[in-house]
Amino acid sequence: ASGRARASNLLASPTLRQPVARPNAGAPSSIMTKGTSSFGKRHSKTHTTCRRCGKVSFHLQKKVCASCGYPGAKMRRFNWSEKALRRRTNGTGRMRHMRHMPRRFKNGFREGTQAKAAKSVAASA
């Protein structure tokens, strides 16, 4: 019984019930934040457009593109990023050479021949 009485006396004491006073609690300038106030200080650029891939991934101090690895001779690619591989694989660009390959394969890669005239084909049939 004495333990309960002691606990109730502690709860009733005025020092435990008083809210803790925090100086400058409402002033935003005194609190260190990672958010809104910090974003206003961002005015220097770390990346600019890359000459090879066109993305804003070329690091100005490192002089290396974070996306394609320019000026390295080989394109930057990793199998852990399946989507990135899919975005720039064969068939996503103009395919100036490869788009003609199925037709050329079908015709046996013939070169230097002339198609027969439509009139002579119709007459012989």
Side-chain angles (χ1 to χ4, degrees):
S2 63
R4 280 190 190 166
R6 216 180 295 139
S8 64
N9 287 344
L10 285 172
L11 291 173
S13 68
T15 55
L16 292 176
R17 275 199 242 147
Q18 295 287 333
V20 178
R22 294 183 302 170
N24 299 327
S29 60
S30 64
I31 299 171
M32 292 182 68
T33 61
K34 299 178 190 174
T36 309
S37 57
S38 299
F39 281 94
K41 296 183 173 78
R42 297 186 182 192
H43 52 75
S44 61
K45 289 185 176 180
T46 52
H47 294 90
T48 189
T49 49
C50 174
R51 292 167 66 179
R52 180 157 68 185
C53 67
K55 291 175 117 183
V56 186
S57 303
F58 188 79
H59 199 282
L60 290 167
Q61 288 184 335
K62 294 180 183 179
K63 300 289 187 228
V64 175
C65 178
S67 178
C68 71
Y70 179 83
K74 294 181 180 178
M75 284 287 282
R76 176 187 174 273
R77 56 180 284 152
F78 294 101
N79 289 330
W80 49 256
S81 181
E82 201 173 314
K83 273 189 177 179
L85 297 177
R86 207 184 309 146
R87 285 187 199 112
R88 56 167 163 244
T89 189
N90 295 345
T92 57
R94 282 176 60 183
M95 293 208 321
R96 285 169 283 191
H97 175 71
M98 287 296 293
R99 70 172 168 224
H100 304 294
M101 295 309 278
R103 172 175 40 84
R104 290 182 58 213
F105 172 76
K106 180 184 72 178
N107 296 318
F109 296 101
R110 65 185 176 200
E111 287 183 342
T113 59
Q114 191 73 27
K116 291 180 182 176
K119 293 175 187 173
S120 64
V121 173
S124 65

